[in-house]
């Protein structure tokens, strides 16, 4: 089995490569950003591609879509620091066939690779249950107010918090508080995650 790892964290890449090499029947290569990841995919045509969400150049979701535009049968597993099911929902939406959180047992990635390579899907049971029963995950923006949607849209357009506060005619503190609430609602950890979500949801 040939596995391409697209991740910009050398320690993660070397750890994954070591686990895969120990299997004996897996060959791996790696790339550090979305552009080189797509180029490596097109050149090598791996059986499974492992993609991080936060990549230089474009998100892992966007890379997944680009890969699938070139090969609709491509098998992608998203391997991310984000363990909130909302990110798994976005990964599946983008066309990934598996999602593994980096803070889980690292050997789950190996299990995911084998299942996806065999034509299956892989999600942790707790994530699968949330995706099946929590309808808000199908539309991650469903629980946002009109103001929150507008703030998210402006973040996606590259406006700073100060600029958003000025445009909305409210205080900086109000916008900062709204962003903190947005992060909780959307499972984001950083303001950049909010920007990526706005772009992924085509709000910008």
């Amino acid at each position: 089995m040939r596995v391409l790892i697209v991740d910009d964290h050398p320690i993660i890449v070397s750890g994954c490569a070591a686990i895969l090499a120990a299997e004996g029947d897996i060959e791996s290569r790696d790339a550090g950003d979305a552009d080189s990841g797509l180029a490596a995919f097109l050149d090598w045509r791996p059986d499974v591609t492992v993609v991080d969400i936060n990549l230089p150049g474009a998100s892992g979701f966007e890379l997944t879509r680009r890969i699938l535009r070139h090969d609709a049968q491509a098998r992608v597993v998203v391997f991310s620091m984000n363990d909130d099911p909302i990110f798994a929902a976005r990964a599946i939406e983008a066309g990934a066939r598996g999602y593994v959180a980096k803070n889980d047992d690292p050997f789950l990635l190996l299990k995911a690779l084998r299942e996806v390579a065999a034509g299956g899907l892989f999600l942790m049971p707790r994530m699968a249950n949330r995706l099946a029963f929590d309808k808000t995950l199908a539309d991650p923006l469903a629980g946002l107010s009109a103001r929150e949607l507008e703030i998210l849209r402006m973040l996606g357009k590259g406006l700073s918090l100060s600029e958003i506060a000025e445009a909305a005619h409210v205080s900086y503190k109000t916008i900062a508080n709204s962003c903190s609430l947005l992060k909780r609602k959307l499972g984001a950890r950083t303001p950049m995650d909010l920007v990526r979500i706005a772009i992924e949801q085509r709000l910008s």
Side-chain angles (χ1 to χ4, degrees):
M1 178 167 58
R2 298 192 298 181
V3 177
L4 173 63
I5 304 165
V6 187
D7 196 305
D8 63 332
H9 298 94
I11 293 176
I12 295 292
V13 172
S14 61
C16 289
I19 290 173
L20 301 183
E23 290 297 295
D25 64 336
I26 300 178
E27 180 184 357
S28 69
R29 293 185 183 177
D30 62 85
D33 57 55
D35 289 342
S36 61
L38 180 60
F41 173 85
L42 295 174
D43 178 61
W44 197 42
R45 297 290 177 170
D47 297 299
V48 185
T49 302
V50 178
V51 174
D52 186 19
I53 291 177
N54 297 311
L55 292 171
S59 73
F61 300 132
E62 177 58 26
L63 175 57
T64 298
R65 283 192 283 267
R66 290 178 186 176
I67 287 172
L68 290 169
R69 280 199 290 270
H70 286 278
D71 180 358
Q73 302 305 312
R75 293 165 178 169
V76 177
V77 172
V78 172
F79 190 44
S80 172
M81 289 299 297
N82 296 300
D83 59 2
D84 192 299
I86 198 166
F87 287 93
R90 289 202 194 94
I92 300 303
E93 230 173 54
R97 299 193 187 186
Y99 190 98
V100 179
K102 291 179 180 177
N103 58 3
D104 277 325
D105 183 338
F107 286 95
L108 283 176
L109 177 62
L110 181 60
K111 183 177 180 182
L113 292 175
R114 294 205 180 277
E115 289 199 17
V116 170
L121 300 171
F122 184 88
L123 284 174
M124 290 296 296
R126 60 185 173 80
M127 285 191 176
N129 288 338
R130 284 284 307 278
L131 290 174
F133 296 110
D134 191 339
K135 292 180 172 53
T136 62
L137 292 173
D139 179 7
L141 306 184
L144 304 186
S145 67
R147 168 169 279 187
E148 288 169 336
L149 279 170
E150 181 60 14
I151 292 171
L152 192 60
R153 185 188 68 80
M154 288 191 279
L155 283 170
K157 292 179 78 68
L159 274 66
S160 68
L161 297 191
S162 297
E163 290 169 330
I164 294 172
E166 184 176 349
H169 306 292
V170 297
S171 70
Y172 176 91
K173 185 177 180 181
T174 296
I175 296 300
N177 289 340
S178 295
C179 285
S180 294
L181 185 58
L182 275 171
K183 283 190 285 187
R184 286 200 298 274
K185 285 186 175 183
L186 296 176
R189 297 191 177 187
T190 68
M192 185 52 67
D193 285 338
L194 291 178
V195 173
R196 291 185 186 279
I197 290 168
I199 293 171
E200 292 295 332
Q201 296 296 323
R202 296 176 172 83
L203 291 179
S204 56

